[in-house]
Amino acid sequence: MTVRKNQASLSADEKRRFVAAVLELKRSGRYDAFVTTHNGFIMGDTDNGERTGHRSPSFLPWHRRFLLEFERALQSVDASVALPYWDWSTDRSPRSSLWAPDFLGGTGRSRDGQVMDGPFAASAGNWAVNVRVDGRTYLRRSLGTAVRELPTPGEVDSVLSMATYDMPPWNSASDGFRNHLEGWRGVNLHNRVHVWVGGQMATGVSPNDPVFWLHHAYIDKLWARWQRRHPGSAYAPGGGTPNVVDLHESMKPWNDTTPADLLDHISHYTFDTD
């Protein structure tokens, strides 16, 4: 069984294996396919039309499936690899080991945001940004510039305390747990982290930055925590809702999985705290 660990507790060998598997997916071209998929959905998901991966109830199950696909791709390279998660509510510093040269590398230089150290720096020669929003082909970050502070444990708990999963109008104006976690309402958890990292993470091609996967693995973990806290609260909507994915409706682009199929993560993986 795959066990997803806090990145702060990874051994040097676990970090090395994760990075090596990511770089191999990039070399083979498989990595960029994930970036293309994400960008297509984030650009296509709108408040007043069809929405699947973002601004909608299926934000959480869609990304759970997306992460599973990526984790399985990593494991096809190295079966020992699992997706780590980044608990940004407690690991809040640009000087964290997450950003060290032996793992993800640090923030970008001031003049253009280019990441200058670590395995994903342009100078390492292994991480050309091919699926992009502009002409720049290098990984960019600007940690803590556009937004100074990451969400706090108290802010996380305030969102986890919300007992209703989602509600009409089922978009970025909705109240409820999903939208407050996604960040369009309230204290802004998920969206704020993307902006705090900056660079490609603040765009639709955010998976160009490998921290995307660690961020979303923690969002996924927060969903699991919410489910344990509110066992009587169900995914909504249940059925007959235009433009969004109901409980038993299949999700694009896979068309073989429904939110109901993904409510229990333990059938796929566990977390180190389960």
Side-chain angles (χ1 to χ4, degrees), residues 60 159-160 162 164-165 176-181 222-223 226:
L60 290 166
V159 173
L160 292 179
M162 305 181 77
T164 301
Y165 179 81
F177 165 71
R178 185 275 308 169
N179 201 33
H180 283 254
L181 177 61
L222 291 179
W223 182 25
W226 179 85

Side-chain angles (χ1 to χ4, degrees), residues 9-203:
S9 68
L10 295 180
S11 68
D13 185 61
E14 287 171 325
K15 291 179 182 179
R16 181 189 62 78
R17 286 177 173 272
F18 174 76
V19 167
V22 171
L23 290 176
E24 174 55 27
L25 291 182
K26 180 70 167 179
R27 187 202 63 77
S28 70
R30 296 169 69 189
Y31 192 97
D32 287 349
F34 286 96
V35 184
T36 298
T37 295
H38 186 268
N39 190 49
F41 276 86
I42 205 168
M43 297 301 292
D45 292 328
T46 64
D47 273 346
N48 298 310
E50 184 178 358
R51 48 200 182 273
T52 302
H54 310 85
R55 301 171 178 262
S56 64
S58 52
F59 167 73
L60 290 166
W62 190 91
H63 280 86
R64 177 166 284 179
R65 173 63 186 265
F66 192 53
L67 265 64
L68 275 167
E69 292 292 316
F70 184 69
E71 188 169 55
R72 289 165 183 162
L74 292 174
Q75 290 171 345
S76 74
V77 175
D78 183 340
S80 74
V81 172
L83 273 180
Y85 63 87
W86 168 33
D87 178 356
W88 30 253
S89 71
T90 58
D91 201 352
R92 304 165 50 80
S93 171
R95 295 174 296 280
S96 161
S97 62
L98 173 69
W99 309 112
D102 70 338
F103 200 22
L104 300 189
T107 195
R109 62 187 179 187
S110 58
R111 74 169 184 265
D112 60 5
Q114 182 175 168
V115 172
M116 302 302 293
D117 66 343
F120 306 105
S123 59
N126 298 313
W127 202 257
V129 173
N130 301 313
V131 184
R132 53 187 185 265
V133 294
D134 55 34
R136 291 173 287 186
T137 60
Y138 48 83
L139 180 61
R140 293 180 290 112
R141 294 186 187 126
S142 186
L143 305 183
T145 299
V147 174
R148 292 186 60 85
E149 297 292 334
L150 289 164
T152 66
E155 288 172 327
V156 169
D157 193 67
S158 72
V159 173
L160 292 179
S161 70
M162 305 181 77
T164 301
Y165 179 81
D166 209 344
M167 61 182 66
W170 315 110
N171 60 19
S172 69
S174 300
D175 212 346
F177 165 71
R178 185 275 308 169
N179 201 33
H180 283 254
L181 177 61
E182 190 173 355
W184 302 109
R185 291 283 301 271
V187 296
N188 184 357
L189 300 184
H190 158 266
N191 290 348
R192 194 197 322 179
V193 176
H194 275 272
V195 177
W196 184 89
V197 175
Q200 283 91 0
M201 270 287 279
T203 74

